[in-house]
Amino acid sequence: MKMWLKCISCGKEYPPEAKIYTCPSCNSLLDVVLDYAEISNNVSWSLFKARAFKVWRYREFLPIEKDEYIVSLGEGGTPLYRCDKLAKWVGIKDLYVKYEGANPTGSFKDRGMTVGVSKALELKAKVVACASTGNTSASLSAYAAKAGLKCLVLLPAGKVALGKLAQALMHGAEVVAIKGNFDDALKLVIKLSMERDVYLLNSVNPWRLEGQKTLAYEVVDQLGFVPEYVAVPMGNCGNISAIYKGFKELSITGLADATPKMIGVQAEGAAPVVEMLEKGLNTLRPIEKPETLATAIRIGNPINWPKAINAMRESKGIAIKVSDAEIIEAQKAIARLEGLGVEPASAASVAGLKKLVEHDKIPRDAQVVAVCTGHLLKDPEEVVEVSEKFKEIEASMDELEKIVLAKL
Ligand code: F0G
């Protein structure tokens, strides 16, 4: 399989075995390039549909040389729900939710880790590491366990949801809390990966994003057409870039005839990319102290911003920010109208859509896919905090009738 790394700014190319994360020449982001002419000759929907509905169904697009290196927990193949009640709530005609909470560790990160950790084995790494707002660490620690690799995770102290922390601890990662935010932890782990023999698996690693692009293939596989819009919550901005790349690859190889407009949603207190697009800036102005209850996307200096900006500009998409109150409202609507439990960051995509419709930024007859990135149980403390208080009563029918049944 022909593949190489290419700098998105200066265009320099590097061989796939180079253990690099950014361009050694200009320090910009790297992208994985595949031989699409060759892939076009080898792929078809009928070939894919004959295989299990999982990430590796799309093997020809996934840059791992030999099958023996593949580390998999059966990720991908997540449901795409048609959500008519939620669509009405949002104010659009056709809304689908891609439910990434159904992945093995409960978030979309597993799509990236199956490829990223396989690449780590291919490159003979012994130790893998990441900084994380939670889900990356949960996923990496599980895949590292499966692969037999040592795993180090750096987390912003006191700002990681309990479910995610529980996962990293139980899978046996070395868990370290950093006195600082995610951006501080990422800076530190990048330095560590440059100076020591530690393989970095944050989304700055372009191989990991190759796994995440499979969400796009799945959406077209499930719908049978390309939706007009795809809404994605943005934190470090890897996922929106990867998903857009997936759609582009389908188009390049003749498997689709269009690409969707990408909608990127950030939380108000951590929205530097939205600000950039709104103000037409050429570079990112990092937020020193990002704050939001959606801790997964509590990021002030997203490393993949150039790729995300490109995805939104090139696709004629939109960026929008939403308040914590709007996120909670959307999280409740998704759970109560559709029976889908998602964590706050995931609900940002739906909250963003509602706001865009209200501001007439997307048409009401649009066909839209909202990506809901992580499971409700990731952040049980937030759920208790934002839910109605429940009553404790004596175990008597009288009390039950007086206090509860009258309400039903
Ligand atoms: N949704 C959830 C549930 C996430 O955990 C993240 C990122 C995102 C959305 C945003 O994705 O960073 O690719 O733009 N979580 C990372 C982590 C940062 O460390 O778990 P992104």
Side-chain angles (χ1 to χ4, degrees):
M1 185 173 197
K2 267 189 251 162
M3 59 180 106
W4 59 98
L5 293 165
K6 185 173 178 182
C7 173
I8 67 162
S9 294
C10 74
K12 282 222 170 83
E13 294 181 352
Y14 304 93
E17 59 278 7
K19 225 190 241 179
I20 51 175
Y21 311 99
T22 50
C23 176
S25 174
C26 75
N27 210 28
S28 188
L29 298 171
L30 296 170
D31 195 11
V32 174
V33 187
L34 305 176
D35 183 347
Y36 295 116
E38 188 190 314
I39 292 174
S40 309
N41 291 331
N42 296 331
V43 292
S44 66
W45 285 115
S46 58
L47 170 82
F48 293 150
K49 282 182 189 291
R51 300 174 179 159
F53 185 46
K54 300 276 168 199
V55 161
W56 292 94
R57 168 183 268 209
Y58 313 98
R59 177 73 177 97
E60 285 73 10
F61 283 109
L62 299 175
I64 294 298
E65 203 67 66
K66 294 194 187 127
D67 286 0
E68 70 198 62
Y69 290 118
I70 295 176
V71 182
S72 174
L73 292 169
E75 52 292 314
T78 57
L80 181 73
Y81 295 106
R82 190 183 160 95
C83 294
D84 288 342
K85 285 192 277 177
L86 192 64
K88 208 162 163 210
W89 183 81
V90 166
I92 49 176
K93 194 167 129 268
D94 290 329
L95 176 64
Y96 299 83
V97 165
K98 184 67 170 156
Y99 187 63
E100 288 293 276
N103 276 296
T105 77
S107 84
F108 70 96
K109 306 286 179 179
D110 297 345
R111 294 180 185 277
M113 289 310 170
T114 185
V115 174
V117 171
S118 301
K119 186 56 78 177
L121 287 187
E122 208 171 71
L123 295 173
K124 310 278 180 259
K126 295 281 180 287
V127 185
V128 289
C130 69
S132 181
T133 57
N135 280 321
T136 297
S137 66
S139 183
L140 180 58
S141 55
Y143 282 81
K146 175 88 177 169
L149 295 169
K150 290 200 174 121
C151 177
L152 168 69
V153 305
L154 305 188
L155 309 175
K159 292 291 181 182
V160 170
L162 197 57
K164 306 172 189 182
L165 182 62
Q167 289 176 291
L169 290 170
M170 185 47 90
H171 290 302
E174 185 71 40
V175 175
V176 181
I178 300 292
K179 291 179 190 163
N181 59 31
F182 169 83
D183 303 297
D184 301 316
L186 182 60
K187 215 187 283 172
L188 185 59
V189 79
I190 289 177
K191 193 164 171 350
L192 177 77
S193 68
M194 301 288 199
E195 292 176 6
R196 301 286 170 88
D197 195 11
V198 165
Y199 193 62
L200 180 65
L201 274 162
N202 279 99
S203 57
V204 66
N205 181 323
W207 302 108
R208 199 192 105 184
L209 294 181
E210 291 300 286
Q212 289 175 216
K213 71 189 183 182
T214 56
L215 186 142
Y217 313 153
E218 286 187 9
V219 165
V220 179
D221 205 337
Q222 287 168 300
L223 284 178
F225 60 86
V226 179
E228 290 169 82
Y229 293 90
V230 175
V232 188
M234 295 189 297
N236 217 14
C237 291
N239 207 29
I240 191 169
S241 330
I243 294 171
Y244 182 56
K245 180 174 182 182
F247 282 113
K248 281 215 309 191
E249 287 181 334
L250 291 182
S251 166
I252 294 168
T253 54
L255 292 171
D257 52 11
T259 52
K261 296 183 173 71
M262 301 303 296
I263 299 173
V265 188
Q266 290 191 303
E268 247 169 35
V273 174
V274 178
E275 179 189 75
M276 220 189 126
L277 276 180
E278 276 175 355
K279 297 192 176 154
L281 308 176
N282 291 325
T283 192
L284 187 92
R285 281 208 297 240
I287 310 285
E288 279 299 315
K289 292 198 166 68
E291 218 35 273
T292 166
L293 119 159
T295 52
I297 50 172
R298 185 175 169 272
I299 295 176
N301 191 13
I303 200 158
N304 286 302
W305 69 260
K307 288 185 177 178
I309 291 280
N310 180 56
M312 286 180 282
R313 286 197 173 137
E314 197 177 283
S315 72
K316 305 200 168 25
I318 320 167
I320 181 134
K321 59 187 174 195
V322 289
S323 68
D324 283 359
E326 287 163 336
I327 289 175
I328 296 165
E329 207 196 349
Q331 187 189 23
K332 287 182 177 172
I334 300 164
R336 292 171 189 191
L337 297 173
E338 301 292 346
L340 300 175
V342 306
E343 67 165 287
S346 308
S349 55
V350 174
L353 284 172
K354 187 169 167 63
K355 206 163 179 176
L356 287 171
V357 173
E358 280 163 8
H359 293 188
D360 285 327
K361 295 270 175 59
I362 53 173
R364 285 167 196 268
D365 62 355
Q367 287 170 326
V368 185
V369 170
V371 180
C372 285
T373 43
H375 201 282
L376 173 82
L377 293 174
K378 291 283 190 172
D379 196 349
E381 290 171 313
E382 179 266 350
V383 175
V384 173
E385 204 181 300
V386 304
S387 296
E388 296 68 21
K389 301 292 163 259
F390 54 91
K391 301 186 178 65
E392 194 174 316
I393 62 167
E394 295 302 329
S396 92
M397 197 60 187
D398 265 5
E399 278 213 35
L400 198 56
E401 242 161 31
K402 207 165 53 201
I403 298 173
V404 187
L405 296 184
K407 260 178 58 183
L408 293 178

Coordinates of all heavy atoms in Angstrom, one line a residue, residues 338-379:
E338 N -35.5 11.0 22.0 CA -35.0 9.9 21.2 C -34.4 8.7 21.9 O -34.1 7.7 21.3 CB -33.9 10.4 20.2 CG -34.4 11.5 19.3 CD -35.4 11.1 18.2 OE1 -35.6 9.9 18.1 OE2 -36.1 12.0 17.7
G339 N -34.3 8.8 23.2 CA -33.8 7.7 24.0 C -32.3 7.5 23.8 O -31.7 6.4 24.1
L340 N -31.6 8.6 23.4 CA -30.1 8.4 23.2 C -29.4 9.2 24.3 O -29.6 10.4 24.4 CB -29.8 9.0 21.8 CG -30.4 8.3 20.6 CD1 -30.1 9.0 19.3 CD2 -30.0 6.8 20.6
G341 N -28.5 8.5 25.0 CA -27.7 9.2 26.1 C -26.4 9.6 25.6 O -25.6 8.8 25.1
V342 N -26.2 10.9 25.6 CA -24.9 11.5 25.1 C -24.3 12.4 26.2 O -25.0 13.0 27.0 CB -25.0 12.2 23.8 CG1 -25.7 11.4 22.7 CG2 -25.8 13.5 24.0
E343 N -23.0 12.5 26.2 CA -22.3 13.4 27.1 C -22.4 14.9 26.6 O -22.7 15.1 25.4 CB -20.9 13.0 27.3 CG -19.9 13.1 26.1 CD -18.5 13.1 26.5 OE1 -18.0 14.0 27.1 OE2 -17.8 12.0 26.2
P344 N -22.2 15.9 27.4 CA -22.4 17.2 27.0 C -21.8 17.7 25.7 O -22.4 18.3 24.9 CB -21.9 18.0 28.2 CG -21.9 17.1 29.4 CD -21.7 15.7 28.8
A345 N -20.5 17.4 25.6 CA -19.8 17.8 24.3 C -20.5 17.3 23.1 O -20.6 18.0 22.1 CB -18.3 17.3 24.3
S346 N -21.0 16.1 23.2 CA -21.7 15.5 22.1 C -23.0 16.2 21.7 O -23.4 16.3 20.5 CB -22.1 14.0 22.4 OG -21.1 13.3 22.9
A347 N -23.6 16.7 22.7 CA -24.9 17.4 22.5 C -24.7 18.8 21.9 O -25.6 19.4 21.3 CB -25.6 17.6 23.8
A348 N -23.4 19.3 21.9 CA -23.1 20.6 21.3 C -23.5 20.6 19.8 O -23.9 21.6 19.3 CB -21.6 20.9 21.5
S349 N -23.3 19.4 19.1 CA -23.6 19.4 17.7 C -25.1 19.7 17.4 O -25.4 20.5 16.6 CB -23.2 18.1 17.0 OG -23.8 17.0 17.7
V350 N -25.9 19.1 18.3 CA -27.4 19.3 18.1 C -27.8 20.8 18.6 O -28.6 21.4 17.9 CB -28.2 18.3 18.9 CG1 -29.7 18.6 18.9 CG2 -27.9 16.9 18.3
A351 N -27.2 21.2 19.6 CA -27.4 22.6 20.1 C -27.0 23.6 19.0 O -27.7 24.6 18.8 CB -26.6 22.8 21.4
G352 N -25.9 23.3 18.4 CA -25.4 24.2 17.3 C -26.4 24.3 16.1 O -26.7 25.3 15.6
L353 N -26.9 23.1 15.8 CA -27.9 23.0 14.7 C -29.1 23.9 15.0 O -29.6 24.6 14.2 CB -28.3 21.6 14.4 CG -27.3 20.7 13.7 CD1 -27.8 19.3 13.7 CD2 -27.1 21.2 12.3
K354 N -29.6 23.7 16.2 CA -30.9 24.5 16.6 C -30.6 26.0 16.5 O -31.5 26.7 16.0 CB -31.2 24.1 18.1 CG -32.6 24.7 18.5 CD -33.0 24.0 19.8 CE -34.1 24.7 20.5 NZ -35.4 24.7 19.8
K355 N -29.5 26.4 16.9 CA -29.1 27.8 16.9 C -29.0 28.3 15.4 O -29.5 29.4 15.1 CB -27.8 28.0 17.6 CG -27.7 29.4 18.2 CD -26.6 29.4 19.2 CE -26.4 30.8 19.8 NZ -25.4 30.7 20.9
L356 N -28.4 27.5 14.6 CA -28.3 27.8 13.2 C -29.6 28.0 12.5 O -29.8 28.9 11.7 CB -27.4 26.8 12.5 CG -25.9 26.9 12.8 CD1 -25.2 25.7 12.2 CD2 -25.3 28.2 12.3
V357 N -30.5 27.1 12.8 CA -31.9 27.1 12.2 C -32.6 28.4 12.7 O -33.2 29.2 11.9 CB -32.7 25.9 12.6 CG1 -34.1 26.0 12.1 CG2 -32.1 24.6 12.0
E358 N -32.4 28.7 14.0 CA -33.1 29.9 14.6 C -32.6 31.2 13.9 O -33.3 32.1 13.7 CB -32.9 29.9 16.1 CG -33.8 29.0 16.8 CD -33.4 28.7 18.3 OE1 -32.4 29.4 18.8 OE2 -34.0 27.9 18.9
H359 N -31.3 31.1 13.5 CA -30.7 32.3 12.9 C -30.7 32.3 11.4 O -30.0 33.0 10.7 CB -29.2 32.5 13.4 CG -29.1 32.8 14.8 ND1 -27.9 33.1 15.4 CD2 -30.0 32.8 15.8 CE1 -28.1 33.3 16.7 NE2 -29.4 33.2 17.0
D360 N -31.5 31.3 10.9 CA -31.7 31.2 9.4 C -30.4 30.9 8.7 O -30.2 31.4 7.6 CB -32.4 32.4 8.8 CG -33.9 32.3 9.1 OD1 -34.4 31.2 9.2 OD2 -34.5 33.4 9.3
K361 N -29.5 30.2 9.3 CA -28.2 30.0 8.7 C -28.2 28.6 7.9 O -27.3 28.4 7.1 CB -27.1 29.9 9.7 CG -26.8 31.3 10.4 CD -25.8 32.1 9.6 CE -25.5 33.5 10.2 NZ -25.1 33.5 11.6
I362 N -29.1 27.8 8.3 CA -29.3 26.6 7.4 C -30.8 26.4 7.1 O -31.7 26.7 8.0 CB -28.8 25.3 8.1 CG1 -29.3 25.0 9.5 CG2 -27.3 25.2 8.1 CD1 -28.9 23.7 10.0
P363 N -31.1 25.9 5.9 CA -32.5 25.8 5.6 C -33.3 24.8 6.3 O -32.7 23.8 6.7 CB -32.5 25.5 4.1 CG -31.1 24.9 3.8 CD -30.2 25.5 4.9
R364 N -34.6 25.0 6.5 CA -35.4 24.1 7.3 C -35.6 22.8 6.6 O -36.0 21.8 7.3 CB -36.7 24.8 7.7 CG -36.5 25.8 8.8 CD -37.7 26.7 9.1 NE -37.2 27.8 9.9 CZ -37.2 27.9 11.2 NH1 -37.7 26.9 11.9 NH2 -36.8 28.9 11.8
D365 N -35.4 22.7 5.3 CA -35.6 21.4 4.6 C -34.3 20.7 4.4 O -34.2 19.8 3.6 CB -36.3 21.6 3.3 CG -35.5 22.5 2.4 OD1 -34.5 23.0 2.8 OD2 -35.9 22.7 1.2
A366 N -33.3 21.1 5.2 CA -32.0 20.5 5.0 C -31.9 19.0 5.5 O -32.7 18.6 6.4 CB -30.9 21.3 5.8
Q367 N -31.0 18.2 4.9 CA -30.8 16.9 5.4 C -29.5 16.9 6.2 O -28.4 17.3 5.7 CB -30.5 15.9 4.3 CG -31.8 15.5 3.5 CD -31.4 14.8 2.2 OE1 -30.4 15.1 1.6 NE2 -32.2 13.9 1.8
V368 N -29.6 16.6 7.5 CA -28.4 16.8 8.4 C -28.1 15.6 9.2 O -28.9 14.9 9.7 CB -28.7 18.0 9.3 CG1 -27.5 18.4 10.2 CG2 -29.2 19.2 8.6
V369 N -26.8 15.4 9.3 CA -26.3 14.4 10.3 C -25.6 15.1 11.4 O -24.7 15.9 11.2 CB -25.3 13.4 9.6 CG1 -24.6 12.5 10.7 CG2 -26.0 12.5 8.6
A370 N -26.0 14.8 12.7 CA -25.3 15.4 13.8 C -24.5 14.2 14.4 O -25.0 13.1 14.7 CB -26.3 15.8 14.9
V371 N -23.2 14.5 14.6 CA -22.3 13.5 15.2 C -22.4 13.7 16.7 O -22.1 14.8 17.2 CB -20.9 13.6 14.7 CG1 -20.0 12.5 15.3 CG2 -20.8 13.5 13.2
C372 N -22.8 12.6 17.4 CA -22.8 12.7 18.9 C -21.7 11.8 19.4 O -21.8 10.6 19.2 CB -24.2 12.2 19.4 SG -25.4 13.5 19.2
T373 N -20.7 12.4 19.9 CA -19.4 11.8 20.0 C -19.1 10.9 21.1 O -18.2 10.0 21.1 CB -18.3 13.0 20.0 OG1 -18.9 14.0 20.9 CG2 -18.1 13.6 18.7
G374 N -19.8 11.0 22.2 CA -19.5 10.2 23.4 C -20.8 9.9 24.2 O -21.8 10.5 24.2
H375 N -20.7 8.8 25.0 CA -21.8 8.2 25.8 C -22.2 9.0 27.0 O -21.3 9.6 27.7 CB -21.4 6.8 26.2 CG -22.6 5.9 26.5 ND1 -23.3 6.1 27.7 CD2 -23.3 5.0 25.8 CE1 -24.3 5.2 27.7 NE2 -24.3 4.5 26.6
L376 N -23.4 9.0 27.3 CA -23.9 9.7 28.5 C -23.2 9.3 29.8 O -22.9 10.1 30.7 CB -25.4 9.3 28.7 CG -26.1 9.8 30.0 CD1 -26.5 11.3 29.8 CD2 -27.3 9.0 30.4
L377 N -22.9 8.0 29.9 CA -22.3 7.5 31.2 C -20.8 8.0 31.4 O -20.3 7.7 32.5 CB -22.3 6.0 31.2 CG -23.8 5.4 31.3 CD1 -23.7 3.9 31.2 CD2 -24.4 5.8 32.6
K378 N -20.3 8.6 30.4 CA -18.9 9.2 30.6 C -18.9 10.2 31.7 O -17.9 10.4 32.4 CB -18.5 9.9 29.3 CG -18.3 9.0 28.1 CD -17.0 8.3 28.3 CE -16.5 7.5 27.0 NZ -15.2 7.1 27.1
D379 N -20.0 11.0 31.8 CA -20.0 12.1 32.8 C -21.2 12.0 33.7 O -22.1 12.9 33.6 CB -19.9 13.4 32.0 CG -19.5 14.6 32.9 OD1 -19.5 14.4 34.1 OD2 -19.3 15.7 32.3

